[in-house]
Amino acid sequence: DSGVTQTPKHLITATGQRVTLRCSPRSGDLSVYWYQQSLDQGLQFLIQYYNGEERAKGNILERFSAQQFPDLHSELNLSSLELGDSALYFCASSPGGLAGPTDTQYFGPGTRLTVL
Amino acid sequence: GEDVEQSLFLSVREGDSSVINCTYTDSSSTYLYWYKQEPGAGLQLLTYIFSNMDMKQDQRLTVLLNKKDKHLSLRIADTQTGDSAIYFCAEKTGGFKTIFGAGTRLFVKA
């Protein structure tokens, strides 16, 4: 158990809908990262937050957004969902936001999103 | 650009050694990681090596780093069926981003 929790574990929805995925980082970790894992694209970095502020952006679509709250939990919002958005969404956390050499990421169990 | 490459599949017999290879491009990488992902689970950190080291051993796991060739390998001794999983190589770049490879799926045949 990494100490990172994600809810829900599974989510099934229809095209065009909007969903919110939730992540609670390990106790004491200030950074949260979101990743998308699909069969054809592998593990894709989406976005990183540090202590409430956006720190780095990866291949995140404009239809997707995220935020980190004062209690450090984070939410990933996916809107106007398409079939191709079906994937595993992982959250990871790390202690620091300056991402020093020893700032290792620990992953949650993921949310499996199925868009029908 | 920054990239991490791995072969996609590896199949070994139970009891044999497995060697999973990875190449990376950023010569200023600081840390290199190996993560394991079991079916339906998240990525679990297995081990990491600092870029000024050549080798790190941790029980059945041996990590070898050839910094000149930017080549990293993970050797699993006495591979068991429970080792069947996807193994991700990742590098912490000089710009402090973490770049993941696509993962190597290890099949262990009984």
Side-chain angles (χ1 to χ4, degrees):
Chain A
D1 184 357
S2 67
V4 179
T5 61
Q6 290 186 248
T7 57
K9 196 172 170 62
H10 300 278
L11 197 48
I12 301 174
T13 189
T15 53
Q17 295 298 305
R18 182 179 190 277
V19 297
T20 297
L21 313 184
R22 183 189 167 103
C23 168
S24 293
R26 295 186 323 156
S27 176
D29 283 359
L30 297 179
S31 266
V32 168
Y33 309 77
W34 285 99
Y35 291 86
Q36 180 193 57
Q37 185 182 34
S38 57
L39 281 174
D40 57 342
Q41 294 284 329
L43 191 68
Q44 298 283 319
F45 167 66
L46 296 178
I47 197 163
Q48 177 200 354
Y49 278 82
Y50 169 68
N51 205 19
E53 300 288 326
E54 183 183 303
R55 173 71 64 170
K57 224 172 193 177
N59 302 324
I60 188 166
L61 300 172
E62 284 192 15
R63 300 183 285 110
F64 296 0
S65 65
Q67 54 185 327
Q68 186 180 28
F69 295 87
D71 67 353
L72 301 175
H73 91 271
S74 178
E75 292 180 356
L76 179 68
N77 301 297
L78 315 176
S79 62
S80 303
L81 284 166
E82 302 174 359
L83 294 177
D85 297 328
S86 295
L88 264 171
Y89 290 84
F90 288 106
C91 166
S93 74
S94 71
L98 298 179
T102 57
D103 195 43
T104 299
Q105 295 180 33
Y106 294 86
F107 282 74
T111 293
R112 182 173 291 281
L113 173 66
T114 303
V115 182
L116 302 175
Chain B
E2 298 152 339
D3 197 14
V4 174
E5 292 192 355
Q6 309 176 232
S7 52
L8 292 181
F9 299 100
L10 177 66
S11 180
V12 300
R13 290 194 181 279
E14 191 174 22
D16 288 349
S17 291
S18 309
V19 179
I20 303 171
N21 294 302
C22 168
T23 57
Y24 59 97
T25 55
D26 189 343
S27 57
S28 58
S29 287
T30 53
Y31 276 80
L32 295 126
Y33 305 88
W34 285 104
Y35 284 84
K36 176 184 180 182
Q37 183 184 27
E38 295 181 352
L43 278 69
Q44 171 198 357
L45 179 66
L46 273 182
T47 186
Y48 63 86
I49 187 168
F50 189 43
S51 58
N52 68 353
M53 295 170 65
D54 297 324
M55 185 182 87
K56 181 179 180 182
Q57 187 148 4
D58 184 0
Q59 299 183 331
R60 292 190 298 122
L61 305 179
T62 303
V63 178
L64 293 177
L65 175 61
N66 181 330
K67 197 168 179 183
K68 175 176 164 290
D69 294 338
K70 301 194 197 67
H71 182 266
L72 182 75
S73 68
L74 174 69
R75 179 176 180 269
I76 306 173
D78 187 25
T79 312
Q80 303 297 307
T81 53
D83 295 323
S84 292
I86 303 175
Y87 291 82
F88 289 89
C89 168
E91 63 164 337
K92 177 81 75 175
T93 70
F96 300 137
K97 287 192 295 182
T98 302
I99 311 293
F100 286 83
T104 298
R105 190 177 291 273
L106 175 65
F107 296 96
V108 182
K109 296 176 284 190

